[in-house]
């Protein structure tokens, strides 16, 4: 087998609490889920040890987490190089974990290509490419702690239907955390949200959605503020922001209601109907 194709799925934050700071990093407690929006990654073996990438224009290869993941894999397992092609579907700068998803997709694809079954080594490589890349290797419902590198899978069969809006105006993650620090609203936990997912309780989960960074993001982006207001007018169970923005979403009880809300939405943001997976 000289090539392989894999799907790298996005994630959403159902909760995101900033609990404090440690060694210069923000410590998080976040309940996340993968969703059915993905980048399609094609990997082809090379005869030499080089790594190339196409499809991520605007990100220099030396700063691309997918390239970094490939180089670390090649070094760890002494394989040949790889040509990476990414068909981007996950919007940039939307809080959906696209960069980490691509890195995880490359690791999963290379593991398949070279029949590597050592998941712990893959996890260690993932940790070196991004704080939530280890989670992205498997996806599903999970609770993330620390910088996002500590993963607790959550056994939940809850199916959520989401209307996601992504405004043109992006939110800088460093600036968002800086604005959050100025607000000083540390604390909170994802206990109730985790219980709701485990119990299949969509109403309980809707009441538990939270993101500590929302006020900071709203202070930086009129687009985020407008999207939140527009979603609140669409009779959703709950509205929340994912990551540090700019993506915001509403949860609905069915695909039909979600589709109706998308038809009713008349703003300028890019819109997606998503479901958890």
């Amino acid at each position: 087998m000289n090539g392989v194709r894999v799907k790298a799925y996005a994630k959403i934050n159902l909760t995101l609490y900033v609990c404090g700071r440690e060694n210069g990093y923000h410590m998080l407690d976040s309940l996340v889920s993968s969703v059915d929006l993905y980048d399609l990654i094609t990997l082809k073996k090379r005869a030499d040890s080089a790594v190339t990438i196409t499809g991520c224009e605007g990100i220099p290869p030396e700063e691309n987490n997918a390239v970094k993941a490939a180089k670390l894999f090649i070094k760890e397992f002494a394989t040949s190089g790889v040509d990476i092609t990414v068909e981007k579907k996950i919007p940039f700068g939307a809080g959906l974990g696209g960069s980490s998803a691509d890195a995880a997709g490359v690791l999963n694809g290379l593991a398949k290509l070279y029949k590597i079954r050592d998941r712990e080594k893959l996890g260690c490589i993932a940790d070196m490419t991004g704080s939530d890349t280890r989670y992205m290797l498997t996806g599903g419902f999970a609770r993330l702690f620390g910088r996002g590198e500590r993963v607790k899978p959550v056994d939940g069969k809850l199916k959520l239907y989401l209307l996601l809006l992504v405004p043109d105006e992006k939110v800088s993650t460093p600036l968002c955390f800086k604005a959050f620090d100025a607000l000083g609203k540390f604390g909170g936990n994802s206990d109730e949200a985790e219980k709701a997912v485990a119990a299949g309780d969509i109403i309980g989960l809707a009441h538990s959605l939270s993101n500590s960074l929302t006020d900071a993001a709203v202070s930086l982006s009129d687009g985020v503020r407008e999207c939140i207001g527009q979603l609140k007018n669409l009779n959703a169970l709950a509205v929340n922001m994912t990551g540090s923005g700019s993506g915001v979403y509403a949860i609905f009880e069915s695909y039909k209601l979600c589709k109706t809300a998308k038809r009713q939405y008349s703003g300028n943001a890019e819109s997606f109907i998503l479901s958890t997976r």
Side-chain angles (χ1 to χ4, degrees):
M1 182 167 60
N2 291 317
V4 67
R5 182 174 289 182
V6 296
K7 295 176 180 179
Y9 288 95
K11 61 81 186 168
I12 58 163
N13 296 86
L14 297 166
T15 65
L16 195 163
Y17 291 100
V18 184
C19 303
R21 291 175 64 93
E22 187 176 306
N23 299 321
Y25 292 99
H26 290 86
M27 296 292 104
L28 309 178
D29 177 354
S30 180
L31 182 68
V32 297
S33 175
S34 48
V35 291
D36 60 349
L37 176 66
Y38 58 85
D39 292 344
L40 190 60
I41 299 177
T42 302
L43 305 171
K44 293 184 178 179
K45 291 180 182 178
R46 292 177 60 94
D48 57 20
S49 60
V51 175
T52 71
I53 188 165
T54 57
C56 289
E57 287 74 15
I59 303 177
E62 63 272 13
E63 298 177 15
N64 192 300
N65 283 342
V67 172
K68 185 176 182 179
K71 289 181 176 179
L72 289 168
F73 183 98
I74 291 165
K75 181 178 179 181
E76 176 66 34
F77 297 107
T79 67
S80 63
V82 63
D83 293 321
I84 305 168
T85 302
V86 181
E87 296 177 38
K88 286 295 294 182
K89 302 294 184 183
I90 303 172
F92 287 107
L96 298 168
S99 176
S100 296
D102 290 348
V106 165
L107 291 177
N108 280 329
L110 288 173
K112 184 176 181 181
L113 199 56
Y114 288 101
K115 296 180 171 57
I116 300 296
R117 295 180 174 83
D118 192 332
R119 302 302 296 182
E120 182 53 35
K121 280 189 178 180
L122 285 181
C124 291
I125 295 173
D127 288 341
M128 290 186 277
T129 68
S131 58
D132 55 359
T133 307
R134 180 184 284 264
Y135 157 72
M136 292 290 201
L137 288 172
T138 53
F141 286 104
R143 194 165 167 183
L144 310 184
F145 298 94
R147 290 179 287 117
E149 80 285 3
R150 288 159 41 211
V151 183
K152 175 188 176 185
V154 176
D155 186 14
K157 304 299 182 184
L158 200 57
K159 188 79 167 181
L160 303 177
Y161 296 95
L162 320 168
L163 176 59
L164 172 75
L165 301 182
V166 181
D168 290 336
E169 182 184 12
K170 305 308 178 189
V171 178
S172 162
T173 297
L175 289 180
C176 191
F177 274 99
K178 184 177 180 179
F180 170 82
D181 288 341
L183 296 171
K185 296 181 179 179
F186 293 94
N189 66 70
S190 304
D191 291 349
E192 293 304 314
E194 179 184 347
K195 290 176 184 176
V197 166
D201 178 7
I202 189 172
I203 302 301
L205 178 61
H207 290 158
S208 302
L209 296 188
S210 184
N211 188 326
S212 296
L213 298 175
T214 300
D215 288 344
V218 165
S219 74
L220 298 171
S221 169
D222 289 337
V224 170
R225 179 189 299 108
E226 290 168 4
C227 285
I228 290 174
Q230 290 159 341
L231 287 174
K232 286 183 176 178
N233 291 325
L234 294 177
N235 298 313
L237 289 175
V239 175
N240 199 22
M241 184 178 78
T242 182
S244 58
S246 59
V248 296
Y249 63 89
I251 290 182
F252 295 87
E253 290 185 272
S254 68
Y255 173 79
K256 183 178 180 180
L257 290 172
C258 195
K259 190 174 181 181
T260 298
K262 188 175 188 297
R263 286 199 304 267
Q264 293 173 342
Y265 172 65
S266 58
N268 297 320
E270 192 174 11
S271 61
F272 303 82
I273 292 179
L274 306 178
S275 63
T276 53
R277 59 176 305 279

